[in-house]
Amino acid sequence: MPSLARELRRAAAVVLLLLGLVGFWELYRWIWSSAGWSWPFTVDSTSMPHVWTILKAFGQPAQVNQPALINILLHKALFTGKEAAVGFAIGAVIGFALGVLLVHSQLLQRGFLPYLVASQTIPILAIAPMVVVWVNPKLPSSLQGWGAVAVIASYLTFFPVLINTLRGLQSADARALELMRTYAASRWAVLWKLRVPASLPYVFAALKLAATASVVGAIIGELPSGLQSGLGGAIINFNQYYSIEPQELWATNIIAALVGILFFVIVLVTEHMVVRRAPENVA
């Protein structure tokens, strides 16, 4: 019962926060439009549509003789979610593996870590077209297009996982490390019995960041690949008609945000399950 009451309070807090944001949006819109203020931007039906106008757009067709916008966006969200999920998995595995490799070699850390850091200073929009050109021809026909987008998503995913994994593996208690070395424990035993459990809070913190980043990477990756099946294609399409139908682009942004939130929640639930079952919490 206490846990149920706690979850109900959390749900109520989320609902109240959402209602507060909607109220702030409408209040800001009413004050700025009534006063005629133009800083930081002019507020009108194009720059800030009413919330109910955006919500109403979900039930209306984007074009004549087409399904409701919500049906179109859900199909596109599933496509982008597939790309993001694969990219997230690839990036997480690569980042964790590199973290394990680097923690066992100071030489590799000094040699490769600066280049890995430098790779993240290059804008993803500059990398995405090259990845599409390089990767697409090497993929099977069933993976071409969206497979390259998944690789782009993994580019944004692997780095936070790598850095936090490395930091987490290094956070193992020095006395426990010395004790295991005294008992001649192998590196494999030290890794899985000491270093990995100590790194879990760091790894899951990185995975929560990477989960949302993978959705962003997938949407950005769809732009140079020319894919129209995902949210990136919808954003480009509705952006062309923003001046006359702004609510469609805002609706697309809401769906994209919900996909990112869903990825975050999945990682959060997984973290609670894994950490709760950790030996130090079970005992």
Side-chain angles (χ1 to χ4, degrees), residues 79 82-83 86-87 90 131-132 135-136 139-154 221 225 227:
F79 188 85
K82 175 181 66 174
E83 299 166 334
V86 174
I90 294 173
V131 172
V132 172
V135 174
N136 250 343
L139 293 175
S141 58
S142 60
L143 299 180
Q144 287 188 1
W146 75 268
V149 174
V151 173
I152 296 170
S154 69
S225 64
L227 289 175

Side-chain angles (χ1 to χ4, degrees), residues 24-82:
F24 177 78
W25 176 283
E26 292 296 332
L27 180 63
Y28 181 95
R29 188 184 188 283
W30 177 72
I31 293 175
W32 256 250
S33 60
S34 300
W37 295 337
S38 59
W39 188 93
F41 58 87
T42 302
V43 175
D44 53 28
S45 297
T46 301
S47 60
M48 286 187 68
H50 286 292
V51 173
W52 53 83
T53 302
I54 300 173
L55 297 178
K56 184 180 177 181
F58 284 113
Q60 297 175 339
Q63 295 180 3
V64 179
N65 297 325
Q66 281 196 355
L69 180 62
I70 185 62
N71 295 331
I72 296 174
L73 291 180
L74 287 179
H75 281 90
K76 291 182 180 295
L78 288 174
F79 188 85
T80 299
K82 175 181 66 174

Side-chain angles (χ1 to χ4, degrees), residues 170-183:
Q170 292 172 334
S171 69
D173 189 273
R175 293 170 298 179
L177 282 171
E178 188 62 31
L179 178 63
M180 295 197 73
R181 288 167 183 158
T182 302
Y183 286 103

Side-chain angles (χ1 to χ4, degrees), residues 88 160-161 164-165 199-212 264 267-268 271 275:
F88 173 75
V161 177
N164 277 35
T165 297
S199 71
L200 287 180
Y202 297 87
V203 172
F204 276 106
L207 291 177
K208 284 182 280 190
L209 291 174
T212 53
F264 180 90
V267 175
L268 186 65
E271 178 187 18
V275 173

